[in-house]
Amino acid sequence: DAGVTQSPTHLIKTRGQQVTLRCSPKSGHDTVSWYQQALGQGPQFIFQYYEEEERQRGNFPDRFSGHQFPNYSSELNVNALLLGDSALYLCASRTSGLYEQYFGPGTRLTVT
Amino acid sequence: QKEVEQDPGPLSVPEGAIVSLNCTYSNSAFQYFMWYRQYSRKGPELLMYTYSSGNKEDGRFTAQVDKSSKYISLFIRDSQPSDSATYLCAMSVSSASKIIFGSGTRLSIRP
């Protein structure tokens, strides 16, 4: 049983560009959350998707948007990239109603 | 002031020592308390979680929550080099709400 998978592993973008990160949840999970983890910091909650809708959102600007597909996979889109967007982006999944969530290995985004 | 405060370390102890990791928090509404372990270049892995106050033990790991002091701890007994990682405390108001993480403590176990 594959756990949470994310693609790509690494990504280098230029300031002002747009990026799309992808996440496939663990089998049986229907809720996906995205986190941003800057170097030396803990993960910060970006948003959560359930039933293809954004259910909760952290303190991130509208440049950060997402989507969940009918198969529960999810995308994170970031527009107008800033140098400060350089971080590890983590996806976590769980089953609605259950507490435990599982993290993927993350996508390391570097903005130059 | 951050909602969750955690000493970033680094913390270096000899193999076999007892390790104590701690976090304080300011939001009294937190009910779920977790500890995650994160190896370099990997995603966090849930070690333990506790609902409300009290202690929970799992093998060499013990988690404690003191809601009156807004203080949580993770103890690691008989520490091993393989325990070397960053440990993140985390908390949430409900099982469905967003999780707030501490900044993590980097732990190194010396053989």
Side-chain angles (χ1 to χ4, degrees):
Chain A
D1 174 30
V4 180
T5 60
Q6 293 185 243
S7 64
T9 305
H10 297 90
L11 204 52
I12 299 175
K13 289 287 189 177
T14 302
R15 202 169 28 175
Q17 287 188 317
Q18 178 264 344
V19 68
T20 297
L21 311 181
R22 296 176 175 81
C23 171
S24 291
K26 185 177 170 64
S27 178
H29 288 186
D30 56 10
T31 302
V32 173
S33 298
W34 286 91
Y35 293 81
Q36 180 195 66
Q37 186 175 25
L39 196 62
Q41 299 297 315
Q44 286 196 60
F45 177 78
I46 302 175
F47 42 52
Q48 180 187 93
Y49 276 85
Y50 171 65
E51 292 186 332
E52 301 180 48
E53 288 190 14
E54 182 183 296
R55 299 292 179 168
Q56 297 183 68
R57 189 178 183 91
N59 295 324
F60 280 81
D62 292 345
R63 298 187 297 108
F64 290 77
S65 63
H67 190 76
Q68 185 180 36
F69 299 93
N71 67 352
Y72 308 119
S73 67
S74 178
E75 288 182 350
L76 164 65
N77 300 292
V78 186
N79 294 323
L81 284 167
L82 303 174
L83 296 179
D85 294 332
S86 295
L88 180 69
Y89 288 85
L90 294 161
C91 171
S93 73
R94 65 180 177 88
T95 298
S96 176
L98 297 181
Y99 180 73
E100 187 170 356
Q101 67 176 2
Y102 294 81
F103 280 85
T107 293
R108 186 161 298 280
L109 173 65
T110 301
V111 182
T112 62
Chain B
Q1 182 189 9
K2 290 183 178 180
E3 280 191 284
V4 180
E5 298 277 2
Q6 183 174 10
D7 186 336
L11 181 62
S12 180
V13 301
E15 183 175 356
I18 296 175
V19 176
S20 172
L21 304 168
N22 312 293
C23 287
T24 59
Y25 62 94
S26 58
N27 187 350
S28 58
F30 286 140
Q31 294 278 14
Y32 291 81
F33 303 91
M34 295 137 278
W35 286 95
Y36 285 82
R37 178 175 62 195
Q38 186 173 25
Y39 292 113
S40 181
R41 301 191 176 279
K42 300 288 187 181
E45 169 195 11
L46 181 64
L47 274 178
M48 301 187 70
Y49 77 90
T50 308
Y51 173 72
S52 194
S53 285
N55 296 354
K56 187 172 185 178
E57 187 173 321
D58 184 3
R60 297 184 295 110
F61 299 88
T62 299
Q64 289 184 353
V65 175
D66 181 349
K67 292 189 70 180
S68 62
S69 301
K70 297 190 179 67
Y71 188 87
I72 70 170
S73 302
L74 177 71
F75 297 95
I76 306 175
R77 292 182 298 280
D78 187 25
S79 56
Q80 304 294 312
S82 59
D83 295 328
S84 297
T86 295
Y87 288 79
L88 299 154
C89 64
M91 356 199 137
S92 64
V93 172
S94 73
S95 61
S97 62
K98 64 182 180 182
I99 296 176
I100 308 299
F101 283 84
S103 58
T105 299
R106 187 187 299 179
L107 173 66
S108 176
I109 308 297
R110 306 188 304 270

